[in-house]
Amino acid sequence: MGPLLGRRAKNAAQSARASRIAVAIVIGILVGGIFAFLYPHGLFSWDHASQFKGGRLTKSIIQIGSTLCESSERISMLKSDIADLSSKNLELKKHNTELTAKLKAAEQKNNDEYEVMVVDELQKAGPFGSVKGIRTNSIVLPDDTINPRLSKILKKIAVQNELIVALANSNVKSMLEIWFTSIKKLGMPNYLVVALDDQTVDFCKENGVPFYKRDPDEGFDSIAKTGSNHAVSGLKFRILREFLQLGYSVLLSDVDIVYIQNPFEHIYRDSDVESMSDGHNNMTAYGFNDVFDDPSMGWARYAHTMRIWVYNSGFFYIRPTLPAIELLDRVAERLSQRLPAWDQAVFNEELFFPSYPGYIGLHASKRTMDRYLFMNSKVLFKEVRKDGKLKKLKPVVVHVNYHPDKLPRMIAVVEFYCNGKEDALESFPDGSDW
C-alpha cells in the first residue's frame, strides 16, 4: 500500500502542474488575441521595412532624421519669406516717400515747372448734351497743427465749417461797429474779427464780438498798425491761408459792408472762389463780347474781345481747396514784393489770366455772385434807388466800395433797408464829390 500511495501522489502533482501550464498557455493565447485585435500593427508602428540592424532601430532613426530635415527646410523657407516681405515693405515705404514728396512738390507754386498728376480713372463720354465737367474741387485735409489756438476758436464759432472773417484796426472802428451790429441782428454766430491792434481787441471785448489776434510778428504788426487801407488789405491773403488749412470755408469781408440777409443762404459752394462783382450791369458783372476797332486793318478791322469787370477782393467766399490756397499764395507773394501793387488787381490777374509761354495760370473755378443780392454801392446809388421796382428788392449785403464817404452811406443803407426810411438814400450824389 505504501508504494502505491506514493505513485498516486506523484501523478496528482504532475497533473496539477500540467493543468497550470495549460491554463497559462490558454491565458497567453487569449491575451495575445486581445492585443492582436486591439493593436493589429503592434504596440509600435513598425512597417515591413523595419528591421533590427546592429542593435538599433534604423527605421526610427530615418523617421527622426527626416522630420529634422523637414523642419530645417521649413525654417529656411520662412526665413526666405520674411526676407522677401521685408524687402517689399522697404520698397513700399520708399514708394510712399516718393509719393509724399510728389504731393508736396505739387503744392509748391513753381511757375517754371509743374508736374501733372492724373488721379481720375478714364471715363467714357456720355451722349450729346449730357457731359458735365468737374466744377467743385475737393477740400484739403484739415491740419490743426498749423495754428492750434485759431483752430480752437473756429471750432466754437463756425457753423458747418463756415464763417465770416474781417480784418480791422482802430482806424475803422465806427464802420466795424455797423458791420458787426448788422450781423448780430441776423442772429448769426459764425463771424470773426481779426484784430490788428490792441485797441480793436478791447473794442471787440466790450461789444461781445468774437475776435482773434495773431501772435507777434514784426513785419505783420508794423503794417497792421500803421499801414494804409491797401496795405492792410494785402495782409488778409496771408491770414486766410491758415483758415483754409484748418479746413474752413471763409466769407472774407471788408468792414464797409452792411448785412441785410444771411449770406450763407445764398451761396452756391460749387467753386473755389465765389465773389462779388464790381460790375454795374449784367454785361460788366457777368461778361460780354467787346469789339475792338482798328481801321488800319481794313477788312479785319474788327477784333472781338471778352471782358468782365473785376471781382471785388473785399467780399468773396473761398473754399479750402488746393487751387484756392494757391491763389492766396500767389497774391500774397506778389504783394510782398517792393513793386507797388493793388491787391484787387493782383487778385483778379491771378484768378483770370490764362497760361501762356513763360507763365502757368491758376486752375481755379470761380463764380460771380448775383449783383442785386450782393450789391456794390455803384449799383445801389446809380440804379437801384432810382427804380421803383428795384427799390423793393432786399439785397443780402451792400458794399460801400465805390464811395469814400463810407460811414454816412453805411448809416443810410441801414436806415433804408433795416429801419424802413424810404428817403434815406436820396441826399447822396451818384458818385463822390471828387
Side-chain angles (χ1 to χ4, degrees), residues 221-238:
D221 291 343
S222 62
I223 297 175
K225 294 177 181 179
T226 62
S228 63
N229 288 338
H230 285 271
V232 171
S233 183
L235 294 175
K236 63 192 174 192
F237 298 99
R238 290 175 54 191

Side-chain angles (χ1 to χ4, degrees), residues 164 188 251 259 261-267 315 374 396-397:
I164 303 170
M188 297 175 57
L251 182 58
Y259 287 77
Q261 296 188 64
N262 186 335
F264 294 110
E265 296 177 357
H266 301 273
I267 290 175
F315 190 87
F374 299 90
V396 175
V397 300

Side-chain angles (χ1 to χ4, degrees), residues 67-126:
T67 302
L68 291 174
C69 290
E70 290 178 1
S71 299
S72 299
E73 290 178 0
R74 183 171 297 178
I75 291 172
S76 298
M77 291 176 62
L78 288 174
K79 287 182 178 179
S80 177
D81 291 342
I82 291 172
D84 291 341
L85 290 173
S86 298
S87 177
K88 290 180 180 179
N89 186 43
L90 290 175
E91 291 179 2
L92 288 173
K93 286 183 178 179
K94 182 179 178 181
H95 185 58
N96 184 54
T97 302
E98 291 176 354
L99 288 177
T100 302
K102 288 181 180 181
L103 288 174
K104 289 182 178 179
E107 292 180 0
Q108 295 176 351
K109 312 306 177 287
N110 184 343
N111 294 337
D112 296 327
E113 183 178 357
Y114 270 65
E115 181 177 358
V116 178
M117 300 179 66
V118 180
V119 296
D120 293 333
E121 295 182 359
L122 297 178
Q123 300 181 27
K124 290 183 178 180

Side-chain angles (χ1 to χ4, degrees), residues 237-288:
F237 298 99
R238 290 175 54 191
I239 297 173
L240 278 180
R241 191 187 207 278
E242 293 185 348
F243 285 81
L244 268 58
Q245 283 182 282
L246 292 172
Y248 292 87
S249 296
V250 174
L251 182 58
L252 189 280
S253 174
D254 283 351
V255 296
D256 57 345
I257 294 176
V258 177
Y259 287 77
I260 302 164
Q261 296 188 64
N262 186 335
F264 294 110
E265 296 177 357
H266 301 273
I267 290 175
Y268 286 80
R269 301 173 181 83
D270 64 348
S271 304
D272 297 308
V273 177
E274 197 167 337
S275 180
M276 169 186 285
S277 172
D278 272 3
H280 60 89
N281 56 28
N282 288 349
M283 288 178 58
T284 56
Y286 309 135
F288 64 103

Side-chain angles (χ1 to χ4, degrees), residues 1-217:
M1 292 290 293
L4 181 61
L5 292 172
R7 282 196 298 271
R8 289 180 178 176
K10 186 177 180 180
N11 290 335
Q14 290 177 349
S15 299
R17 183 182 300 173
S19 298
R20 287 197 295 269
I21 292 172
V23 170
I25 292 172
V26 171
I27 292 173
I29 293 172
L30 290 174
V31 171
I34 293 171
F35 272 89
F37 177 77
L38 295 177
Y39 303 99
H41 301 293
L43 287 174
F44 305 98
S45 298
W46 313 116
D47 58 15
H48 295 290
S50 298
Q51 294 179 354
F52 289 99
K53 186 177 183 181
R56 296 180 180 179
L57 298 177
T58 57
K59 180 61 178 178
S60 297
I61 295 173
I62 292 171
Q63 288 179 341
I64 293 171
S66 176
T67 302
L68 291 174
C69 290
E70 290 178 1
S71 299
S72 299
E73 290 178 0
R74 183 171 297 178
I75 291 172
S76 298
M77 291 176 62
L78 288 174
K79 287 182 178 179
S80 177
D81 291 342
I82 291 172
D84 291 341
L85 290 173
S86 298
S87 177
K88 290 180 180 179
N89 186 43
L90 290 175
E91 291 179 2
L92 288 173
K93 286 183 178 179
K94 182 179 178 181
H95 185 58
N96 184 54
T97 302
E98 291 176 354
L99 288 177
T100 302
K102 288 181 180 181
L103 288 174
K104 289 182 178 179
E107 292 180 0
Q108 295 176 351
K109 312 306 177 287
N110 184 343
N111 294 337
D112 296 327
E113 183 178 357
Y114 270 65
E115 181 177 358
V116 178
M117 300 179 66
V118 180
V119 296
D120 293 333
E121 295 182 359
L122 297 178
Q123 300 181 27
K124 290 183 178 180
F128 179 81
S130 66
V131 177
K132 300 293 182 182
I134 297 175
R135 290 166 171 77
T136 308
N137 287 308
S138 300
I139 63 173
V140 299
L141 182 67
D143 184 1
D144 290 342
T145 63
I146 294 299
N147 191 331
R149 186 164 64 89
L150 177 59
S151 176
K152 186 177 180 180
I153 295 173
L154 298 182
K155 287 178 180 178
K156 291 181 180 179
I157 66 173
V159 176
Q160 295 182 347
N161 282 6
E162 295 179 324
L163 74 159
I164 303 170
V165 175
L167 278 67
N169 57 23
S170 57
N171 296 331
V172 295
K173 180 179 178 180
S174 299
M175 289 190 291
L176 177 61
E177 184 173 11
I178 296 176
W179 179 86
F180 66 65
T181 300
S182 67
I183 294 176
K184 284 184 175 182
K185 286 183 177 179
L186 296 172
M188 297 175 57
N190 53 331
Y191 69 101
L192 181 72
V193 174
V194 177
L196 302 178
D197 53 33
D198 293 333
Q199 293 89 336
T200 304
V201 170
D202 295 336
F203 184 62
C204 289
K205 288 181 179 179
E206 294 170 1
N207 291 274
V209 173
F211 69 91
Y212 163 72
K213 191 173 187 296
R214 284 172 55 95
D215 294 329
D217 183 313

